[in-house]
């Protein structure tokens, strides 16, 4: 019965960050219950038993290290380099969680300083970073920011002592085996190749002209909704592929096309098959999909 | 003697360096050590990419950055001779989500920062409950996400309007959630109905309240915060919104404010490299934020507090906490008046035609946020951001201290000075970006 009483200790450290993952996490509906399962030694906002200066002394390790932000070896927290802090706490921790795309792959802040910043075990999609040798320990929860429910899922599994299986980029398969496209309310338009004529409409798919990366992005944003209620595509914004190692790409509101066919096709589909299918689907004229859906507004 | 204090729980860290006589603070300098290079990374990108990048300047006010960016792009369109048409609906949805972001910020600051810090100053009976702040903030961001898709880091405002196309379903859901949040605020935070609180005209009316706001008010008096932390008693509001008025104020006397008078220079700290900047209007430092907004908006209660206790920590803190009520009410009005039949988006001219400069200003939770950009055929050639915390939390020389420096001088000891510092709602990531 020891496992029920045993509380893993947790330290949440920040590298080069905007604090978005910290704030995203505060949206978790079962936050109090989750926090009760851990002994929080340090967190940048939530109540915790130690302060940053105590943490920087590197005297006592933790069971779970959550790291937010890109890794810049020379950056200091309370006068101690991240290089030393990460090396020390990762050594003892049973689990290291890279919370968000910066910690996973470098993200926005790798794009800002590519020569210095990286993720913990990856720089973009290349295995690199201070914890490369410990990559087995690192759970990458990519996303800009991390979805609160994904972090909740990983931490609850750790608290319950359940193993977490991960994909080739270290992301939990349970969360990242789906595409962001999965569950999108615009899927019917996607199938029949009907693009949203313009922004600001609930009708139409955003893949063909408006830059949506849903079919190319491993994420469950439309299965587990953001803030419990929505997602980018639900409000007509394209998916920017923020969970992938190449985030942030360029020209985010546009789709690169070749003879009006998107240059990149959905993951797992051959380009040829896709072209053939597109031709056929486009030949159907489905009246319902070409009209506006509601006039109640 | 020079003493250093590391301040955290402020969206990153800051270092404060104090000169003291006995315990008393005679001088303070402020350093923000972390820099991330957000402006540079936008150069060479299409202007619309900035709508995705700039919200990542700050995890707690990314939406304000999004709005400043979209306003700056639209201003560049106008300067280039292609004015962007915005429907009333697009305007009110943008304003609504911005207001909700401010609300989540204020709840977090009150419950996760100010009440626990006040208790540390030795005030009894505060019983801080930080998770209440997280709960209320999450309710606010849920309503926000119904229109914006998610929070943090959405990019649903675009030149010409918004990407969403809400129906009455979302409107009714949002109204229900907002009523719930207002219920929480009345019961837990205020201890009195929203309408009653909004009609308060004097601080005496807090006396009977058995609520978090009541305890806050009493705690501030008990620690004599009504006699401490005065800055310049000069204020600036620059963003144009329905909940406040653009103005420059000396005491409570309003004058016209012209954003072209705003300038910046590197902050000064003798003991550490700081990446902050000092921001001035004309030659002078001004305080920005909810206190500035409340005075400019002629909020009776806050003006009464100001008359008694000037721009003290008491007035500054109460103004921020009280603004939550003003904003909840404003959100309710915006939602009730939302006219869904108009288009969400009116396509603007092709971005490639735009070679011009644009400035976007919004009131973020902590005060005016300004984005300036220069576009060459739709590509960002230059990008500059001035954040509210740079106005308040600059670090300058003894003959001309920034508002927070001036406010800290005279504090009884370091603990008190850091509370004064926090009364400005410090944000490290925004200060340096
Ligand atoms: S909008 Fe994006 S996620 Fe939705 S169906 Fe189209 S491609 Fe898929
Ligand atoms: S929809 Fe795409 S861009 Fe948006 S959060 Fe999910 S993975 Fe990121």
């Amino acid at each position: 019965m020891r496992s029920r009483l045993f509380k893993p200790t947790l330290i949440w450290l920040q590298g080069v960050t905007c604090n978005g993952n910290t704030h995203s996490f505060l949206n978790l509906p079962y936050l109090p219950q989750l926090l009760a399962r851990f002994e929080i030694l340090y967190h940048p906002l939530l109540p915790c038993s130690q302060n940053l200066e105590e943490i920087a002394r590197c005297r006592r390790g933790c069971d779970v290290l959550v790291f937010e932000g890109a890794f810049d070896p020379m950056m200091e927290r309370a006068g101690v380099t991240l290089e030393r802090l990460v090396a020390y706490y990762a050594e003892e921790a049973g689990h290291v969680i890279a919370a968000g795309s910066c910690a996973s792959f470098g993200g926005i802040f790798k794009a800002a300083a590519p020569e210095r910043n990286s993720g913990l075990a990856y720089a973009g999609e290349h295995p690199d970073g201070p914890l490369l040798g410990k990559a087995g320990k690192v759970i990458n929860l990519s996303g800009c920011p991390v979805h609160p429910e994904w972090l909740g899922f990983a931490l609850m599994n750790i608290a319950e002592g359940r193993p977490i299986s991960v994909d080739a980029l270290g992301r939990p398969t349970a969360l990242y085996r789906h595409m962001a496209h999965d569950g999108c309310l615009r899927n019917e338009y996607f199938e029949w190749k009907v693009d949203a004529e313009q922004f600001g409409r609930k009708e139409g798919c955003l893949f063909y002209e408006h830059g949506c990366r849903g079919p190319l992005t491993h994420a469950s944003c439309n299965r587990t909704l953001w803030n419990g209620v929505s997602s980018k595509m639900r409000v007509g914004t394209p998916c920017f592929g923020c969970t992938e190692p190449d985030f942030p790409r360029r020209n985010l509101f546009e789709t690169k096309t070749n003879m009006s066919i998107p240059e990149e096709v959905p993951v797992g589909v051959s380009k040829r098959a896709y072209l053939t299918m597109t031709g056929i689907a486009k030949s159907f004229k489905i009246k319902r999909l070409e009209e506006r859906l509601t006039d109640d507004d | 003697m020079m003493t250093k204090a590391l301040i955290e729980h402020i969206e990153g860290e800051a270092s404060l360096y104090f000169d003291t006589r006995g315990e008393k603070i005679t001088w303070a300098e402020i350093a923000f050590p972390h820099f991330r290079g957000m402006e540079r990374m936008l150069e060479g990108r299409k202007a619309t990419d900035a709508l995705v990048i700039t919200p990542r300047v700050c995890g707690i006010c990314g939406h304000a950055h999004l709005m400043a960016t979209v306003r700056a792009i639209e201003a560049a369109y106008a300067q280039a001779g292609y004015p962007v048409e915005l429907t009333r609906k697009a305007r009110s949805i943008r304003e609504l989500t911005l207001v909700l972001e401010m609300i989540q910020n204020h709840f977090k600051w009150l419950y996760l920062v100010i009440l626990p810090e006040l208790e540390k100053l030795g005030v009894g009976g505060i019983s801080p409950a930080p998770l209440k702040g997280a709960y209320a903030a999450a309710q606010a961001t849920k309503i926000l996400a119904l229109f914006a898709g998610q929070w943090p880091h959405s990019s649903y405002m675009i030149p010409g309007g918004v990407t969403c196309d809400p129906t009455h379903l979302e409107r009714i859901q949002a109204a229900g959630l907002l009523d719930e949040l207002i219920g929480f605020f009345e019961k837990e935070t205020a201890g009195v109905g929203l309408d009653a609180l909004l009609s308060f005209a004097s601080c005496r009316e807090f006396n009977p309240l058995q609520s978090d706001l009541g305890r806050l008010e009493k705690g501030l008096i008990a620690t004599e915060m009504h006699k401490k932390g005065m800055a310049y008693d000069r204020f600036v509001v620059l963003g144009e919104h329905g909940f406040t008025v653009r103005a420059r104020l000396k005491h409570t006397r309003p004058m016209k404010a012209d954003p072209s008078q705003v300038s910046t220079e590197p902050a000064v700290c003798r003991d550490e490299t700081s990446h902050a900047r000092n921001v001035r209007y004309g030659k002078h430092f001004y305080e920005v934020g909810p206190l500035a907004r409340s005075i400019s908006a002629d909020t009776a209660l806050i003006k009464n507090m100001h008359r008694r206790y000037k721009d003290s920590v008491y007035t500054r803190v109460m103004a921020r906490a009280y603004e939550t009520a003003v904003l909840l009410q404003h959100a309710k009005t915006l939602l009730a008046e939302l006219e869904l039949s108009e288009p969400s988006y009116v396509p603007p001219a092709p971005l490639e035609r735009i070679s011009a400069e644009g400035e976007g200003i919004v009131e973020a939770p902590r005060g005016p946020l300004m984005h300036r950009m220069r576009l060459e055929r739709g590509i960002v050639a230059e990008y500059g951001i001035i954040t509210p915390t740079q106005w308040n939390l600059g670090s300058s020389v003894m003959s001309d201290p920034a508002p927070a420096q001036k406010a800290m001088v005279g504090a009884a000891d370091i603990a008190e000075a850091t509370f004064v510092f926090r009364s400005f709602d410090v944000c490290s990531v925004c200060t340096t970006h």
Side-chain angles (χ1 to χ4, degrees), chain A residues 18 42 77 144 235 254 292, chain B residues 8 13 46 56 59 163 165:
Chain A
C18 69
Y42 183 73
R77 290 282 178 208
C144 187
V235 300
E254 284 155 43
R292 297 229 53 193
Chain B
E8 49 171 334
E13 299 102 52
K46 224 177 191 172
R56 271 96 183 167
T163 62
D165 183 17

Side-chain angles (χ1 to χ4, degrees), chain A residues 192 194 277-287 290:
Chain A
W192 301 105
V194 180
M277 234 181 54
T278 306
I280 300 172
K282 273 195 166 166
S283 70
F284 287 91
K285 284 263 165 273
I286 302 166
K287 192 160 168 280
E290 274 157 21

Side-chain angles (χ1 to χ4, degrees), chain A residues 180-181 184 186-187 190 204-207 212 214-215 222 233:
Chain A
H181 173 72
C184 176
R186 296 168 191 262
N187 272 341
F190 174 85
C205 167
L206 301 155
F207 180 61
C212 188
N222 279 306
M233 299 71 115

Side-chain angles (χ1 to χ4, degrees), chain B residues 38-55 64-80 157-159 351 354-361 369-386:
Chain B
M38 293 301 279
E39 289 150 335
R40 287 298 81 73
M41 77 170 289
L42 290 166
E43 286 169 11
R45 280 180 172 265
K46 224 177 191 172
T48 40
D49 279 5
L51 300 166
V52 181
I53 309 263
T54 68
H65 283 276
L66 172 65
M67 191 154 169
T69 301
V70 84
R71 283 185 169 182
I73 300 177
E74 285 168 350
Y77 263 99
Q79 204 203 59
M157 300 180 202
I158 49 172
L351 189 58
I354 310 303
S355 297
E357 285 175 23
E359 178 176 68
I361 311 178
L369 170 66
M370 309 171 76
H371 283 209
R372 288 169 175 167
M373 61 169 88
R374 187 163 59 79
L375 300 183
E376 273 165 22
R377 290 201 215 126
I379 306 288
V380 176
E382 260 179 276
Y383 207 102
I385 301 173
I386 301 176

Side-chain angles (χ1 to χ4, degrees), chain A residues 143-145 150 180 217-219 221 226 232-233 238-243, chain B residues 150:
Chain A
C144 187
W150 303 346
T217 301
H218 297 83
C221 303
W226 279 91
K232 286 202 183 63
M233 299 71 115
C239 166
F240 302 120
C242 78
T243 55
Chain B
Q150 68 181 76

